Amino acid sequence: IRILIADDIEETRNVIKKILILEKEFFEVVGEAINGAEVIKLIAKLKPDVVLMDVNMPILNGLEATEKITNDFPSVVVIIMSVQGESEYLKKAMFYGAKEYIIKPFNYDTLITTIKITYE
């Protein structure tokens, strides 16, 4: 499963990469983005299967980027990552086209299982 990580915090991207590298028979991190606009640019080039998308990012936030991805690249699965656990955020993410929603901080098993199940 080819994964693009979108988060404006480098430490968060690094933690996710470390988790995914431990499962390298299932996952390949194909790229990283620090804002929604960068995600949109990278998708056409990197062709990820899954985008792990933070909500609060500069330039183009995760929800706006998710809507654009859903419209322009319908085969790409977007999984939203957010510290916001309220159901209002979850509803918004789904409205914009996200397939799943993980609340930060998440643990190893939650991330791995969510990606596998959502992708399938």
Side-chain angles (χ1 to χ4, degrees), residues 91-110:
K91 284 181 201 160
K92 251 187 204 167
M94 297 305 168
F95 176 78
Y96 283 105
K99 299 288 184 259
E100 192 53 84
Y101 190 97
I102 317 176
I103 296 163
K104 291 191 224 173
F106 40 78
N107 66 28
Y108 178 94
D109 290 331
T110 301

Side-chain angles (χ1 to χ4, degrees), residues 45 51 68 104:
K45 189 167 68 175
V51 176
K68 190 149 182 48
K104 291 191 224 173

Side-chain angles (χ1 to χ4, degrees), residues 48-112:
D49 301 309
V50 173
V51 176
L52 295 175
M53 180 85 72
D54 183 32
V55 172
N56 299 313
M57 292 187 294
I59 303 172
L60 187 69
N61 74 42
L63 296 178
E64 295 163 334
T66 298
E67 183 176 39
K68 190 149 182 48
I69 292 165
T70 304
N71 291 332
D72 299 352
F73 306 95
S75 65
V76 176
V77 172
V78 178
I79 299 173
I80 293 285
M81 308 178 294
S82 179
V83 292
Q84 308 293 336
E86 294 86 31
S87 62
E88 201 50 46
Y89 275 91
L90 174 63
K91 284 181 201 160
K92 251 187 204 167
M94 297 305 168
F95 176 78
Y96 283 105
K99 299 288 184 259
E100 192 53 84
Y101 190 97
I102 317 176
I103 296 163
K104 291 191 224 173
F106 40 78
N107 66 28
Y108 178 94
D109 290 331
T110 301
L111 180 63
I112 298 302

